[in-house]
Amino acid sequence: MNKKIRAIRMEKKLSQSYIAHELRLEQSQYCRREKGEIQFTSDEIIKIAQLLKTNIASFFGEEINKPNDSDPEDLIKYITIQHKFIEQYELRIKEKDDIIKLLRQKE
């Protein structure tokens, strides 16, 4: 996901400094996130999607067309899909944390 965010940011010709400033991070901290050294939080992912004017699904290699605003049912489906991506990401982070905890216990 971090590589996809970087690619979209570069495509939009936005600097790391700009995104970092908008996220209230130091540029070096944002850089570490783009490199995958630190995981993005769900709030950061949402804010980055807004800044890059894209949907969260595009960070995961999925493309979802934004629904027609006049159809509430389509909008609900769209929001639900975006939340599922965030939930998936948070679950992966929790699994990673659990593995790290187990490995530290074995030391």
Side-chain angles (χ1 to χ4, degrees):
M1 180 183 71
N2 54 316
K3 291 177 184 176
K4 189 71 172 175
I5 289 173
R6 182 176 191 270
I8 295 169
R9 177 186 59 77
M10 292 177 71
E11 179 183 302
K12 304 267 183 176
K13 297 183 170 88
L14 297 173
S15 69
Q16 284 186 344
S17 296
Y18 169 74
I19 302 292
H21 174 75
E22 293 296 316
L23 294 176
R24 297 188 175 146
L25 297 171
E26 295 292 323
Q27 185 272 333
S28 61
Q29 289 298 308
Y30 179 78
C31 180
R32 292 183 68 200
R33 283 166 171 77
E34 269 195 5
K35 288 181 179 179
E37 295 172 8
I38 299 174
Q39 298 295 321
F40 287 105
T41 67
S42 57
D43 289 339
E44 290 169 344
I45 294 169
I46 292 167
K47 181 70 175 177
I48 292 168
Q50 292 168 345
L51 294 168
L52 298 178
K53 296 181 177 137
T54 189
N55 59 58
I56 295 168
S58 65
F59 299 156
F60 295 92
E62 300 289 329
E63 288 298 326
I64 299 172
N65 294 326
K66 189 170 180 179
N68 183 342
D69 291 336
S70 63
D71 188 347
E73 189 174 316
D74 282 348
L75 186 58
I76 290 169
K77 289 177 187 174
Y78 177 76
I79 291 169
T80 301
I81 290 170
Q82 292 219 359
H83 282 285
K84 286 184 180 184
F85 279 112
I86 292 170
E87 289 171 5
Q88 238 181 1
Y89 183 72
E90 289 174 340
L91 180 63
R92 287 184 184 144
I93 291 173
K94 185 183 179 323
E95 289 172 350
K96 174 201 61 100
D97 290 343
D98 290 345
I99 291 169
I100 290 171
K101 188 177 179 180
L102 285 172
L103 291 172
R104 285 186 177 154
Q105 289 175 352
K106 290 183 179 184
E107 292 179 344

Short mmCIF file of all heavy atoms in Angstrom, two decimals, residues 16-55:
data_model
loop_
_atom_site.label_atom_id
_atom_site.label_comp_id
_atom_site.label_asym_id
_atom_site.label_seq_id
_atom_site.Cartn_x
_atom_site.Cartn_y
_atom_site.Cartn_z
N GLN A 16 6.40 15.17 -0.41
CA GLN A 16 6.26 14.52 0.88
C GLN A 16 6.07 15.57 1.97
O GLN A 16 5.29 15.37 2.90
CB GLN A 16 7.51 13.69 1.21
CG GLN A 16 7.62 12.39 0.49
CD GLN A 16 8.80 11.58 0.97
OE1 GLN A 16 9.71 12.09 1.62
NE2 GLN A 16 8.79 10.30 0.63
N SER A 17 6.75 16.70 1.83
CA SER A 17 6.64 17.77 2.82
C SER A 17 5.21 18.28 2.93
O SER A 17 4.71 18.52 4.03
CB SER A 17 7.57 18.93 2.47
OG SER A 17 8.90 18.52 2.52
N TYR A 18 4.56 18.43 1.78
CA TYR A 18 3.17 18.91 1.78
C TYR A 18 2.26 17.92 2.50
O TYR A 18 1.47 18.30 3.38
CB TYR A 18 2.68 19.15 0.35
CG TYR A 18 1.19 19.38 0.27
CD1 TYR A 18 0.63 20.59 0.69
CD2 TYR A 18 0.33 18.38 -0.19
CE1 TYR A 18 -0.74 20.79 0.64
CE2 TYR A 18 -1.04 18.58 -0.24
CZ TYR A 18 -1.57 19.78 0.17
OH TYR A 18 -2.92 19.98 0.14
N ILE A 19 2.36 16.65 2.12
CA ILE A 19 1.51 15.62 2.74
C ILE A 19 1.81 15.54 4.24
O ILE A 19 0.89 15.49 5.07
CB ILE A 19 1.70 14.24 2.07
CG1 ILE A 19 1.40 14.30 0.58
CG2 ILE A 19 0.84 13.17 2.77
CD1 ILE A 19 -0.03 14.54 0.20
N ALA A 20 3.10 15.54 4.59
CA ALA A 20 3.50 15.47 6.00
C ALA A 20 2.90 16.64 6.78
O ALA A 20 2.35 16.45 7.88
CB ALA A 20 5.02 15.46 6.12
N HIS A 21 2.99 17.84 6.22
CA HIS A 21 2.44 19.02 6.88
C HIS A 21 0.94 18.86 7.11
O HIS A 21 0.44 19.15 8.20
CB HIS A 21 2.72 20.27 6.03
CG HIS A 21 2.05 21.50 6.56
ND1 HIS A 21 2.51 22.16 7.68
CD2 HIS A 21 0.96 22.17 6.15
CE1 HIS A 21 1.72 23.19 7.92
NE2 HIS A 21 0.77 23.22 6.99
N GLU A 22 0.23 18.38 6.11
CA GLU A 22 -1.22 18.20 6.23
C GLU A 22 -1.58 17.13 7.25
O GLU A 22 -2.64 17.18 7.87
CB GLU A 22 -1.83 17.86 4.87
CG GLU A 22 -1.75 18.99 3.86
CD GLU A 22 -2.54 20.23 4.28
OE1 GLU A 22 -3.69 20.08 4.75
OE2 GLU A 22 -2.00 21.34 4.14
N LEU A 23 -0.69 16.15 7.44
CA LEU A 23 -0.92 15.09 8.42
C LEU A 23 -0.37 15.46 9.80
O LEU A 23 -0.47 14.68 10.74
CB LEU A 23 -0.26 13.78 7.96
CG LEU A 23 -0.82 13.12 6.71
CD1 LEU A 23 0.01 11.91 6.34
CD2 LEU A 23 -2.27 12.74 6.89
N ARG A 24 0.25 16.64 9.86
CA ARG A 24 0.90 17.12 11.10
C ARG A 24 2.02 16.18 11.54
O ARG A 24 2.13 15.81 12.71
CB ARG A 24 -0.12 17.33 12.20
CG ARG A 24 -1.12 18.40 11.83
CD ARG A 24 -2.02 18.76 12.96
NE ARG A 24 -2.85 19.88 12.53
CZ ARG A 24 -4.08 20.06 12.89
NH1 ARG A 24 -4.65 19.21 13.71
NH2 ARG A 24 -4.76 21.10 12.46
N LEU A 25 2.82 15.79 10.56
CA LEU A 25 3.99 14.94 10.79
C LEU A 25 5.24 15.67 10.30
O LEU A 25 5.14 16.57 9.46
CB LEU A 25 3.89 13.64 9.99
CG LEU A 25 2.76 12.66 10.30
CD1 LEU A 25 2.72 11.57 9.25
CD2 LEU A 25 2.96 12.07 11.68
N GLU A 26 6.38 15.25 10.81
CA GLU A 26 7.64 15.69 10.22
C GLU A 26 7.78 14.98 8.88
O GLU A 26 7.30 13.85 8.71
CB GLU A 26 8.82 15.31 11.13
CG GLU A 26 8.82 16.02 12.47
CD GLU A 26 9.07 17.51 12.34
OE1 GLU A 26 9.88 17.91 11.47
OE2 GLU A 26 8.44 18.28 13.09
N GLN A 27 8.46 15.61 7.95
CA GLN A 27 8.66 15.02 6.62
C GLN A 27 9.36 13.67 6.75
O GLN A 27 9.02 12.71 6.06
CB GLN A 27 9.45 15.98 5.72
CG GLN A 27 9.61 15.50 4.29
CD GLN A 27 10.83 14.62 4.09
OE1 GLN A 27 11.82 14.72 4.81
NE2 GLN A 27 10.75 13.75 3.10
N SER A 28 10.33 13.56 7.66
CA SER A 28 11.06 12.31 7.83
C SER A 28 10.14 11.18 8.31
O SER A 28 10.31 10.02 7.91
CB SER A 28 12.23 12.48 8.81
OG SER A 28 11.75 12.87 10.09
N GLN A 29 9.17 11.52 9.17
CA GLN A 29 8.23 10.51 9.64
C GLN A 29 7.31 10.05 8.51
O GLN A 29 7.00 8.86 8.39
CB GLN A 29 7.40 11.05 10.81
CG GLN A 29 8.20 11.21 12.09
CD GLN A 29 8.74 9.89 12.57
OE1 GLN A 29 8.01 8.91 12.71
NE2 GLN A 29 10.03 9.84 12.82
N TYR A 30 6.90 11.00 7.68
CA TYR A 30 6.07 10.62 6.53
C TYR A 30 6.87 9.74 5.57
O TYR A 30 6.36 8.73 5.07
CB TYR A 30 5.51 11.85 5.80
CG TYR A 30 4.69 11.43 4.62
CD1 TYR A 30 3.40 10.96 4.79
CD2 TYR A 30 5.24 11.42 3.33
CE1 TYR A 30 2.66 10.51 3.71
CE2 TYR A 30 4.50 10.97 2.26
CZ TYR A 30 3.22 10.51 2.45
OH TYR A 30 2.50 10.05 1.39
N CYS A 31 8.12 10.11 5.35
CA CYS A 31 8.98 9.33 4.46
C CYS A 31 9.09 7.89 4.95
O CYS A 31 9.02 6.95 4.15
CB CYS A 31 10.36 9.99 4.40
SG CYS A 31 11.53 9.13 3.33
N ARG A 32 9.24 7.70 6.25
CA ARG A 32 9.34 6.34 6.81
C ARG A 32 8.04 5.56 6.57
O ARG A 32 8.09 4.35 6.35
CB ARG A 32 9.66 6.40 8.30
CG ARG A 32 11.08 6.93 8.56
CD ARG A 32 11.44 6.93 10.00
NE ARG A 32 11.56 5.55 10.45
CZ ARG A 32 11.49 5.20 11.72
NH1 ARG A 32 11.30 6.09 12.66
NH2 ARG A 32 11.61 3.94 12.06
N ARG A 33 6.94 6.23 6.56
CA ARG A 33 5.66 5.56 6.28
C ARG A 33 5.60 5.14 4.82
O ARG A 33 5.19 4.03 4.50
CB ARG A 33 4.49 6.48 6.64
CG ARG A 33 4.21 6.57 8.13
CD ARG A 33 3.29 7.73 8.46
NE ARG A 33 2.84 7.73 9.83
CZ ARG A 33 3.57 8.10 10.88
NH1 ARG A 33 4.83 8.51 10.71
NH2 ARG A 33 3.06 8.06 12.11
N GLU A 34 6.02 6.03 3.93
CA GLU A 34 6.01 5.67 2.50
C GLU A 34 6.97 4.52 2.21
O GLU A 34 6.72 3.72 1.32
CB GLU A 34 6.40 6.88 1.64
CG GLU A 34 5.23 7.69 1.19
CD GLU A 34 5.55 8.65 0.06
OE1 GLU A 34 6.68 8.65 -0.48
OE2 GLU A 34 4.64 9.42 -0.29
N LYS A 35 8.04 4.43 2.95
CA LYS A 35 9.01 3.34 2.77
C LYS A 35 8.52 2.03 3.40
O LYS A 35 9.09 0.98 3.16
CB LYS A 35 10.36 3.70 3.40
CG LYS A 35 11.12 4.75 2.65
CD LYS A 35 12.44 5.01 3.34
CE LYS A 35 13.26 6.05 2.63
NZ LYS A 35 14.53 6.31 3.33
N GLY A 36 7.48 2.11 4.21
CA GLY A 36 6.95 0.91 4.85
C GLY A 36 7.60 0.60 6.18
O GLY A 36 7.33 -0.43 6.78
N GLU A 37 8.44 1.50 6.68
CA GLU A 37 9.10 1.28 7.97
C GLU A 37 8.14 1.48 9.14
O GLU A 37 8.29 0.87 10.19
CB GLU A 37 10.30 2.24 8.13
CG GLU A 37 11.40 1.98 7.12
CD GLU A 37 12.48 3.05 7.15
OE1 GLU A 37 12.47 3.92 8.05
OE2 GLU A 37 13.34 3.02 6.25
N ILE A 38 7.16 2.36 8.94
CA ILE A 38 6.11 2.63 9.92
C ILE A 38 4.78 2.49 9.17
O ILE A 38 4.67 2.93 8.03
CB ILE A 38 6.23 4.06 10.50
CG1 ILE A 38 7.56 4.25 11.22
CG2 ILE A 38 5.07 4.36 11.44
CD1 ILE A 38 7.81 5.68 11.68
N GLN A 39 3.80 1.90 9.81
CA GLN A 39 2.49 1.73 9.18
C GLN A 39 1.69 3.03 9.26
O GLN A 39 1.76 3.76 10.24
CB GLN A 39 1.70 0.62 9.88
CG GLN A 39 2.36 -0.74 9.81
CD GLN A 39 2.45 -1.27 8.40
OE1 GLN A 39 1.53 -1.10 7.61
NE2 GLN A 39 3.55 -1.92 8.08
N PHE A 40 0.93 3.31 8.22
CA PHE A 40 -0.01 4.42 8.25
C PHE A 40 -1.15 4.06 9.19
O PHE A 40 -1.58 2.90 9.23
CB PHE A 40 -0.61 4.67 6.85
CG PHE A 40 0.34 5.31 5.88
CD1 PHE A 40 0.93 4.56 4.87
CD2 PHE A 40 0.63 6.66 5.95
CE1 PHE A 40 1.77 5.14 3.95
CE2 PHE A 40 1.48 7.26 5.04
CZ PHE A 40 2.07 6.50 4.03
N THR A 41 -1.67 5.04 9.92
CA THR A 41 -2.86 4.80 10.72
C THR A 41 -4.08 4.91 9.81
O THR A 41 -3.99 5.48 8.71
CB THR A 41 -3.00 5.84 11.87
OG1 THR A 41 -3.24 7.13 11.30
CG2 THR A 41 -1.77 5.86 12.75
N SER A 42 -5.21 4.43 10.28
CA SER A 42 -6.42 4.53 9.45
C SER A 42 -6.80 5.98 9.21
O SER A 42 -7.24 6.34 8.11
CB SER A 42 -7.58 3.76 10.08
OG SER A 42 -7.84 4.22 11.39
N ASP A 43 -6.61 6.85 10.21
CA ASP A 43 -6.90 8.28 10.02
C ASP A 43 -5.99 8.89 8.97
O ASP A 43 -6.42 9.72 8.17
CB ASP A 43 -6.76 9.05 11.34
CG ASP A 43 -7.87 8.74 12.33
OD1 ASP A 43 -8.94 8.26 11.90
OD2 ASP A 43 -7.67 8.97 13.54
N GLU A 44 -4.73 8.49 8.97
CA GLU A 44 -3.79 9.01 7.97
C GLU A 44 -4.18 8.54 6.57
O GLU A 44 -4.11 9.32 5.61
CB GLU A 44 -2.35 8.56 8.29
CG GLU A 44 -1.78 9.24 9.52
CD GLU A 44 -0.48 8.63 9.99
OE1 GLU A 44 -0.13 7.50 9.59
OE2 GLU A 44 0.19 9.29 10.81
N ILE A 45 -4.61 7.31 6.45
CA ILE A 45 -5.02 6.77 5.15
C ILE A 45 -6.21 7.57 4.61
O ILE A 45 -6.23 7.94 3.44
CB ILE A 45 -5.38 5.26 5.26
CG1 ILE A 45 -4.12 4.46 5.59
CG2 ILE A 45 -6.02 4.76 3.98
CD1 ILE A 45 -4.39 3.03 5.97
N ILE A 46 -7.16 7.85 5.47
CA ILE A 46 -8.33 8.62 5.05
C ILE A 46 -7.91 10.01 4.59
O ILE A 46 -8.33 10.49 3.54
CB ILE A 46 -9.37 8.69 6.19
CG1 ILE A 46 -9.96 7.30 6.44
CG2 ILE A 46 -10.46 9.70 5.88
CD1 ILE A 46 -10.75 7.17 7.74
N LYS A 47 -7.07 10.67 5.38
CA LYS A 47 -6.63 12.03 5.05
C LYS A 47 -5.81 12.04 3.76
O LYS A 47 -5.98 12.92 2.91
CB LYS A 47 -5.80 12.60 6.22
CG LYS A 47 -5.31 14.01 6.01
CD LYS A 47 -6.43 15.00 6.06
CE LYS A 47 -5.88 16.41 5.97
NZ LYS A 47 -6.89 17.43 5.93
N ILE A 48 -4.94 11.06 3.57
CA ILE A 48 -4.13 10.98 2.36
C ILE A 48 -5.02 10.80 1.14
O ILE A 48 -4.81 11.43 0.10
CB ILE A 48 -3.07 9.85 2.45
CG1 ILE A 48 -2.02 10.22 3.51
CG2 ILE A 48 -2.42 9.59 1.10
CD1 ILE A 48 -1.11 9.07 3.89
N ALA A 49 -6.02 9.95 1.26
CA ALA A 49 -6.96 9.75 0.15
C ALA A 49 -7.63 11.07 -0.23
O ALA A 49 -7.79 11.38 -1.41
CB ALA A 49 -8.00 8.70 0.50
N GLN A 50 -7.99 11.86 0.78
CA GLN A 50 -8.60 13.16 0.52
C GLN A 50 -7.60 14.10 -0.16
O GLN A 50 -7.94 14.78 -1.13
CB GLN A 50 -9.10 13.79 1.82
CG GLN A 50 -10.26 13.07 2.44
CD GLN A 50 -10.56 13.53 3.85
OE1 GLN A 50 -9.76 14.20 4.50
NE2 GLN A 50 -11.73 13.15 4.35
N LEU A 51 -6.38 14.13 0.35
CA LEU A 51 -5.36 15.02 -0.22
C LEU A 51 -5.00 14.66 -1.66
O LEU A 51 -4.76 15.53 -2.49
CB LEU A 51 -4.08 15.00 0.64
CG LEU A 51 -4.21 15.57 2.05
CD1 LEU A 51 -2.98 15.23 2.88
CD2 LEU A 51 -4.42 17.08 1.98
N LEU A 52 -4.99 13.36 -1.93
CA LEU A 52 -4.65 12.88 -3.28
C LEU A 52 -5.87 12.83 -4.19
O LEU A 52 -5.75 12.45 -5.36
CB LEU A 52 -3.99 11.50 -3.20
CG LEU A 52 -2.67 11.44 -2.43
CD1 LEU A 52 -2.15 10.00 -2.38
CD2 LEU A 52 -1.62 12.36 -3.04
N LYS A 53 -7.03 13.17 -3.63
CA LYS A 53 -8.28 13.16 -4.39
C LYS A 53 -8.51 11.81 -5.07
O LYS A 53 -8.75 11.71 -6.27
CB LYS A 53 -8.31 14.30 -5.40
CG LYS A 53 -8.29 15.65 -4.72
CD LYS A 53 -8.33 16.78 -5.69
CE LYS A 53 -8.38 18.07 -4.90
NZ LYS A 53 -7.57 19.12 -5.35
N THR A 54 -8.39 10.77 -4.26
CA THR A 54 -8.60 9.41 -4.74
C THR A 54 -9.34 8.63 -3.66
O THR A 54 -9.56 9.14 -2.57
CB THR A 54 -7.24 8.74 -5.08
OG1 THR A 54 -7.49 7.50 -5.73
CG2 THR A 54 -6.38 8.50 -3.85
N ASN A 55 -9.74 7.42 -3.99
CA ASN A 55 -10.41 6.61 -2.97
C ASN A 55 -9.42 5.65 -2.32
O ASN A 55 -8.39 5.32 -2.89
CB ASN A 55 -11.63 5.88 -3.55
CG ASN A 55 -11.27 4.97 -4.69
OD1 ASN A 55 -10.45 4.08 -4.53
ND2 ASN A 55 -11.88 5.18 -5.83
#
